[in-house]
Amino acid sequence: MATHPKPTGEPVVLGYPAAGIAAPLPSTTAYTYATPRPDPYYADPRTGAAFSANHNLLLYRILIAAAVAFLLVGFISFFLWLFLRPSAPVFIVSSATVSAFNISSPYGPSPQLSSSFNLALNVSNPNKKMGVNYFHVAAAVAYDGVILAETALSPFYQEGRTFTTLQATLTTRQEYVGLDVARGMSRDRATSGAVRFDVIVEAWVWFKTSAWSTSSSVMKVYCEGISISLINETVTSGSMAGPTKQCQVNIGW
């Protein structure tokens, strides 16, 4: 026959501790785990930090590459300029004539000029290895800084160490020239039998070799003091007096 334990008078505990009974203390030998520190180069992509760092690094490398390329091109251009530095073309007025020259009322209130100038300019390229391109070419005749006539000329190319001649015809027909210009030319004719004109040539030029070329620059040619014989006020034509005249050439490099 089965026997049952005798009651002891103490409550039976099932599940959570019963009231009045203290819970067991935690173990003092529990394993502690240190949380690892985040790597700044491999940050959580959800924060955008990794993408920003890579993007900045790419921009930095692009800027460095662009700066190196710019310096390299600059050094190459500089050394090419030193070894292949072009000399300016040489312009010489070899012939100058005028016909149908007439100043109406030189001492009146509105003097007018009619004329036809014919010019010949010898142009030589002194560079051995560089050709010259001339475009937007224009020629003018002036007196005392005042343009009397001007015309456009055809563009052309000139090989190194070559020579060519520019022909230009400039006409005016009853153009107002001002009292100072009209009286000055009339005075020159009366005192010296000649009038001193200035010839001006302007063009855009660039020099080139087979492997290198300069940028386009403005060239201005000044041929001052071209004396044309006009013996008196009744003579309507004349030609260049004296030898040929070399011009001053300026290029805005």
Side-chain angles (χ1 to χ4, degrees):
M1 183 175 179
T3 61
H4 297 279
K6 295 181 179 180
T8 60
E10 295 181 357
V12 179
V13 178
L14 296 175
Y16 290 100
I21 299 177
L25 297 175
S27 173
T28 58
T29 60
Y31 177 75
T32 57
Y33 177 76
T35 304
R37 299 176 62 185
D39 191 330
Y41 294 99
Y42 297 94
D44 189 349
R46 293 173 296 178
T47 65
F51 175 79
S52 179
N54 293 335
H55 182 68
N56 292 338
L57 181 61
L58 178 62
L59 288 178
Y60 177 76
R61 290 176 177 176
I62 291 175
L63 290 176
I64 292 296
V68 171
F70 178 79
L71 292 176
L72 183 61
V73 171
F75 277 120
I76 293 175
S77 300
F78 176 73
F79 284 110
L80 285 175
W81 177 263
L82 288 180
F83 288 106
L84 300 175
R85 184 174 183 177
S87 299
V90 178
F91 282 72
I92 297 175
V93 179
S94 58
S95 174
T97 63
V98 64
S99 59
F101 188 87
N102 180 58
I103 303 174
S104 62
S105 303
Y107 297 98
S110 57
Q112 296 178 337
L113 172 67
S114 295
S115 62
S116 178
F117 293 92
N118 290 280
L119 307 175
L121 293 92
N122 297 334
V123 184
S124 59
N125 177 11
N127 300 286
K128 182 178 180 180
K129 299 180 179 180
M130 301 191 75
V132 187
N133 276 291
Y134 304 82
F135 54 101
H136 299 310
V137 187
V141 174
Y143 176 85
D144 197 21
V146 178
I147 300 295
L148 303 178
E150 56 187 339
T151 188
L153 303 177
S154 300
F156 62 99
Y157 175 75
Q158 191 173 21
E159 293 283 355
R161 298 286 177 88
T162 58
F163 168 90
T164 188
T165 300
L166 288 182
Q167 301 284 347
T169 299
L170 307 92
T171 60
T172 60
R173 185 180 297 275
Q174 296 181 346
E175 295 288 342
Y176 174 77
V177 292
L179 292 175
D180 292 339
V181 173
R183 292 174 181 177
M185 290 191 291
S186 297
R187 183 173 56 251
D188 292 344
R189 298 177 73 179
T191 57
S192 63
V195 180
R196 294 168 62 88
F197 298 97
D198 299 328
V199 174
I200 304 170
V201 177
E202 292 188 1
W204 283 84
V205 297
W206 58 284
F207 300 80
K208 62 170 295 185
T209 65
S210 58
W212 179 75
S213 66
T214 66
S215 58
S216 300
S217 302
V218 177
M219 179 188 70
K220 295 186 177 182
V221 182
Y222 300 94
C223 315
E224 299 180 343
I226 307 300
S227 182
I228 297 180
S229 298
L230 290 165
I231 300 173
N232 53 54
E233 293 187 4
T234 61
V235 174
T236 60
S237 62
S239 59
M240 183 174 173
T244 59
K245 186 77 171 182
Q246 184 168 345
C247 309
Q248 178 183 354
V249 179
N250 296 325
I251 300 179
W253 299 112

